[in-house]
Amino acid sequence: YMMNPKVSIIVPIYNVERYLDRCIQSLVNQTLHDIEIILVDDESPDNCPVMCDVYEARDSRIKVVHKKNGGLGMACNSGLKVAKGEYVAFCDSDDWVEANYCAKLFQLITNENADIAIIEASYENEQGQIIFQKPTTQETTFQGRKALSLLLEDTVIQSHTWGKLYKSSLVKDLSFPENLKCFEDYSTLFKIFDQAEKVVRSNDKLYHYIQRDNSLSHDLSPETAYYFYIAIMDVFRFWQGTRKVEN
């Protein structure tokens, strides 16, 4: 078994039996072979825990973490605890990636000696039809603060953890909030980007983001709005703190 793979991919898993095969297959078949795939089973009530174990038995690069249900933030934290890679990526268990996803991110981050690499996503419905085209810019390199302000605007750089590769030193000591049922990545990303001196991005659409009708972030309930408010306030406080340091 590899001691320190180039890339650790963390996949939080909960109630995604229908999509899990496609997701894991897309990771197992990466052209960059030197990776580890960390499947974090968040006490999924369906067949996912068994599926994870079957995959682990088949491929030595797969590690499974079974944990008590605690939500997405806690699942990400559990994955980070065992990740051994030089770089870390996240993939949602109902999404999937192109075969050169890891290779492209790895190439970007190492060629540019960057802290974070970003690639684009294709936004699709469950039938695979494209439902949203994001405005793209040329392949670019941003110095730290510029990337942080673009993240705040949420256009060129979007505030989700997937579609990005991070130097592991940026995320190793990080903790995703465990009190949020959604938007847990929103506040955390700012803390990651704040440490980055150089961020590089590519327009290649190598991540397939599937918008499910019943996903948490599309359910505009009062509860969802409340979590979004908490995440936004977290970012605001953080931003205030970084501003004070600069002035």
Side-chain angles (χ1 to χ4, degrees):
Y1 187 75
M2 293 168 301
M3 286 306 294
N4 292 94
K6 289 192 171 87
V7 175
S8 298
I9 306 164
I10 296 171
V11 188
I13 293 165
Y14 184 80
N15 218 0
V16 284
E17 191 179 303
R18 274 179 53 196
Y19 311 93
L20 192 59
D21 265 326
R22 179 177 63 182
C23 175
I24 298 177
Q25 284 296 342
S26 76
L27 295 173
V28 167
N29 294 323
Q30 288 297 298
T31 55
L32 179 69
H33 202 255
D34 187 8
I35 61 174
E36 66 172 358
I37 301 161
I38 301 168
L39 306 176
V40 185
D41 158 38
D42 194 22
E43 211 175 348
S44 192
D46 56 3
N47 210 22
C48 286
V50 177
M51 292 166 78
C52 289
D53 291 340
V54 169
Y55 270 108
E56 186 179 35
R58 263 193 234 157
D59 192 321
S60 62
R61 299 173 304 163
I62 294 179
K63 277 185 197 166
V64 178
V65 179
H66 294 289
K67 54 177 291 303
K68 285 214 74 63
N69 180 258
L72 208 49
M74 202 182 276
C76 290
N77 292 339
S78 303
L80 282 171
K81 280 194 189 84
V82 300
K84 293 214 164 23
E86 212 179 320
Y87 300 94
V88 176
F90 295 89
C91 182
D92 284 359
S93 47
D94 45 358
D95 297 336
W96 62 283
V97 296
E98 295 290 338
N100 59 337
Y101 174 69
C102 287
K104 177 68 183 184
L105 283 168
F106 184 73
Q107 179 203 343
L108 279 170
I109 208 166
T110 48
N111 285 0
E112 295 289 337
N113 192 17
D115 300 296
I116 301 171
I118 305 171
I119 53 104
E120 268 315 312
S122 177
Y123 292 79
E124 300 162 12
N125 62 18
E126 294 194 33
Q127 289 71 48
Q129 295 156 320
I130 292 180
I131 47 176
F132 168 63
Q133 288 282 18
K134 213 178 110 230
T136 54
T137 54
Q138 288 311 302
E139 191 155 317
T140 25
T141 307
F142 308 107
Q143 302 307 322
R145 302 314 280 181
K146 177 67 179 161
L148 193 59
S149 59
L150 286 171
L151 181 66
L152 201 63
E153 289 165 21
D154 200 32
T155 49
V156 176
I157 299 177
Q158 291 200 287
S159 52
H160 23 59
T161 44
W162 48 260
K164 301 175 176 72
L165 185 63
Y166 314 90
K167 220 178 233 177
S168 65
S169 55
L170 264 63
V171 294
K172 240 359 210 171
D173 303 325
L174 210 72
S175 183
F176 284 83
E178 301 189 345
N179 60 331
L180 298 181
K181 274 197 192 160
C182 44
F183 305 111
E184 69 305 311
D185 49 359
Y186 188 73
S187 51
T188 311
L189 265 179
F190 288 89
K191 293 160 190 164
I192 301 174
F193 271 75
D194 185 50
Q195 307 171 66
E197 285 171 23
K198 193 175 188 187
V199 176
V200 58
R201 76 174 279 289
S202 156
N203 278 328
D204 291 358
K205 291 191 173 72
L206 303 179
Y207 189 100
H208 293 264
Y209 175 72
I210 311 303
Q211 297 211 324
R212 286 156 59 194
D213 305 332
N214 60 350
S215 76
L216 267 176
S217 49
H218 294 139
D219 155 35
L220 292 172
S221 64
E223 189 187 25
T224 312
Y226 168 71
Y227 288 128
F228 189 57
Y229 170 74
I230 293 179
I232 292 272
M233 287 312 292
D234 199 22
V235 171
F236 179 71
R237 278 192 299 272
F238 170 72
W239 194 249
Q240 290 264 346
T242 59
R243 278 280 163 275
K244 282 197 186 77
V245 173
E246 282 184 5
N247 292 339

